[in-house]
Amino acid sequence: GKPEPDSRSVTIHALMTSQSVTGAYTFVLTPGDDTRTDVHATLFFRNPVSCVGIAPMSSMFWFGEASQNRFGDFRPEVHDSDGLLVAPDAETRLWRPLTNPPELWRTDFDAPPGFAGFGLLQRDRELRDYEDLEALYNLRPSIWVQPVGKWPAGKVRLVEIPTNSEYGDNIVAFWMPDAPFPTMSPVDMHWTLNWTMSPSFGGPQGWVRSTRQETAHAAEGKTTYVIDFDGASLGSIPADQEITTDVVTNAPASLESQHVYRNEHDGSVRLVLSVSAPPGSPECELRARLSSGGKPLTETWVANWKP
């Protein structure tokens, strides 16, 4: 029904049906500086479904600071989101910068029971990041999914689709259960969607501001990643405090070198990683974070590198 004049939220009910599943949704939308949508879904599966996407979202990533191809465009970056943030537990945050891949990519992140959430975030917030006076990509909101109740074990899946333009969503993210939902019995799922300008959601204080990649020696199976951690988020770290790195590379990738630099101009911390693998090797996952005194200072940066 129509909300009362003094109502702070709007409630929307929706029915859905298909060959494999039917159900009902309730959306409670509360606008504000941060807009919140509470979603409650009751689903009935008529037959087993191997891939079910819960709390799906889509976005657009054409190119960014790490992209080698800018398609002849004058702008430095063009995207609605620049990364996927995954919280497998209350203390850990995984940051996966988005790409416009040469072919369709699927990347899964473990989401055990009680995982804290996931979302597609826009962290580049300056107009100069895009130099676009019409689309204003610097004002695009981030979206964060927070599960309500204890979801079963599952995965957060990121799907990146190649695109030659900015005019269609080519990024998809959703949660999917490890075990198929039962048939002919109700499945209740509850979550909240947070539409916000925030760059982080809990976890360690430091977050990744930018990722760049050097591919001058790609033919030799080598690459270098330059990862900048936001200075404001690390502002409480004393200048003389020792910072260490935690770097993990999956075979056949190997770590050639790593260096940490403090940027005295803005307080950020730069991590430079050089890795190698035999040319033509399968895709390798790389992970890195900053620590001090045995405790994480930052979220964990994640990249999928194809030598």
Side-chain angles (χ1 to χ4, degrees), residues 132-189:
D132 193 318
L133 301 179
E134 297 179 0
L136 296 176
Y137 290 113
N138 53 301
L139 300 181
R140 300 299 170 95
S142 300
I143 180 171
W144 178 252
V145 171
Q146 182 178 359
V148 177
K150 192 173 183 179
W151 291 13
K155 291 179 173 57
V156 173
R157 171 163 290 183
L158 171 66
V159 181
E160 297 166 298
I161 306 168
T163 185
N164 290 319
S165 76
E166 65 195 283
Y167 301 116
D169 281 8
N170 65 315
I171 303 296
V172 181
F174 53 85
W175 176 88
M176 55 187 294
D178 285 340
F181 285 128
T183 59
M184 305 310 294
S185 61
V187 174
D188 288 313
M189 302 294 295

Side-chain angles (χ1 to χ4, degrees), residues 16-38:
M16 63 92 67
T17 187
S18 70
Q19 183 177 351
S20 299
V21 62
T22 187
Y25 284 77
T26 297
F27 305 90
V28 180
L29 175 64
T30 305
D33 291 338
D34 285 355
T35 294
R36 174 188 175 108
T37 305
D38 291 284

Side-chain angles (χ1 to χ4, degrees), residues 30 98 114 261 274:
T30 305
L98 297 178
Y261 305 93
S274 294

Side-chain angles (χ1 to χ4, degrees), residues 87-111:
D89 53 56
E91 291 77 32
T92 307
R93 297 294 181 273
L94 307 177
W95 174 252
R96 166 59 155 74
L98 297 178
T99 65
N100 181 359
E103 57 189 23
L104 188 144
W105 281 6
R106 297 184 184 93
T107 307
D108 290 342
F109 298 88
D110 287 336

